[in-house]
Amino acid sequence: MAKKNKAFKYRLYPSDEQFLLMKKTVGCVRFTYNKMLTDRIETYEKFKDDKVQLLKQTHPTPAKYKKDYPFLKEVDSLSLANAQMNLEKAYKAFFKKNANFPKFKSKKHKQSYTTNVVNGNIEILDGHIKLPKLKWVKMKQHRDIAESHQIKSVTISMTGSGKVYASVLTEFEEVTKKIEPNNVVGLDFSMTDLYVTSDGERANYPRFYRQSLEKLAKEQRVLSRRKKGSNRWYKQKRKVAKLQEKTANQRGDFLHKKSYELANHYDAIAIEDLDMKGMSKALTFGKSVSDNGWGMFTTFLKYKFEDRGKLFIKIDRWFPSSKMCSKCGKVKEELCLSERIYSCCCGHESDRDANAATNIKSEGIRLFLEAKGT
């Protein structure tokens, strides 16, 4: 049986002392990562004309800095080791041309660190989690981890509003039974509704970001008038962060519930492989694309369907789902975005999104049968 990973995210409620040590660990991880990256860049600049000498150079490790910077000894050593591993991954991705050159970590970006399980140093018991250096930290254990799951690592993340979360990564043996896809649905992305199904159902997405836009703009204006670095500036910054987090949580909750409904109701799902980054850059689509969270939604759909042994199919982004008639299969040469009713010369008329969703469903079934060899 194949081994699979699954993460469980919990809200933590650390004491003041534990919270301070978490912040210190995050800072030390960022400091170590940046120091190692600086040393690597300096080594490359020094020996870039002599490849033989460059290859002989050893890469710096966190242990190298502990003598000059004793405060690094106060935090979890495994978190610093993971910073080194993350830098190695970033370098490998760069040399494989899968990513840009590694960047220095900033206080403005996500504040987190990862620690690993070694000799039972991480445990979960009675609404508490045991972590290296922190001992037992109180947490909201809203769901249990099955005994068949083995804890591998924990990532501690801190939000701008001061909340702390633990993402517990587990490993288990996959025993999911594959389900024959009899009940298939196609999903077409909708800018206003999030999606339209081939059965004609609409998600009716509430547009949480646009709902909070006026209030968020007001609080951001107040923040811009505060003196940067003052107590009032930090207080207002947390206020803005709370508003942004509320919108993100509302969006995540809605997407989780909708993907859960679809995964329970259908045996297979077919969706379009859309270029969301490209769409978000368009002047008329930017906020709508970001607000919908379609990329996050497809991630939720994928793992929920696969966990149940069901089929998740992505259709090629160039497939003419909107321009094709779901009745006769004829493709229109031109179709304006303003045309919300699809009319074909064969006499077929239907809602544009519903027509596209039906075409996506048909293409998904075709791809499945082709892969199956029938």
Side-chain angles (χ1 to χ4, degrees), residues 212-228 232-233 236-237 239-241 243-244 287:
S212 67
L213 206 55
E214 190 177 334
K215 194 172 182 180
L216 183 62
K218 181 183 175 182
E219 298 300 342
Q220 285 175 327
R221 280 196 297 272
V222 174
L223 179 65
S224 68
R225 297 190 191 105
R226 298 276 187 263
K227 185 180 178 182
K228 194 171 182 179
R232 294 182 76 205
W233 182 83
Q236 186 63 26
K237 191 182 178 185
K239 204 171 182 180
V240 171
L243 272 174
Q244 292 171 329
K287 285 181 182 177

Side-chain angles (χ1 to χ4, degrees), residues 219-259:
E219 298 300 342
Q220 285 175 327
R221 280 196 297 272
V222 174
L223 179 65
S224 68
R225 297 190 191 105
R226 298 276 187 263
K227 185 180 178 182
K228 194 171 182 179
S230 66
N231 287 336
R232 294 182 76 205
W233 182 83
Y234 279 114
K235 188 177 179 180
Q236 186 63 26
K237 191 182 178 185
R238 281 193 294 272
K239 204 171 182 180
V240 171
K242 279 184 180 179
L243 272 174
Q244 292 171 329
E245 281 174 33
K246 183 182 177 181
T247 303
N249 290 338
Q250 286 176 317
R251 182 189 296 118
D253 181 65
F254 181 85
L255 298 180
H256 268 301
K257 285 175 179 175
K258 281 296 177 183
S259 56

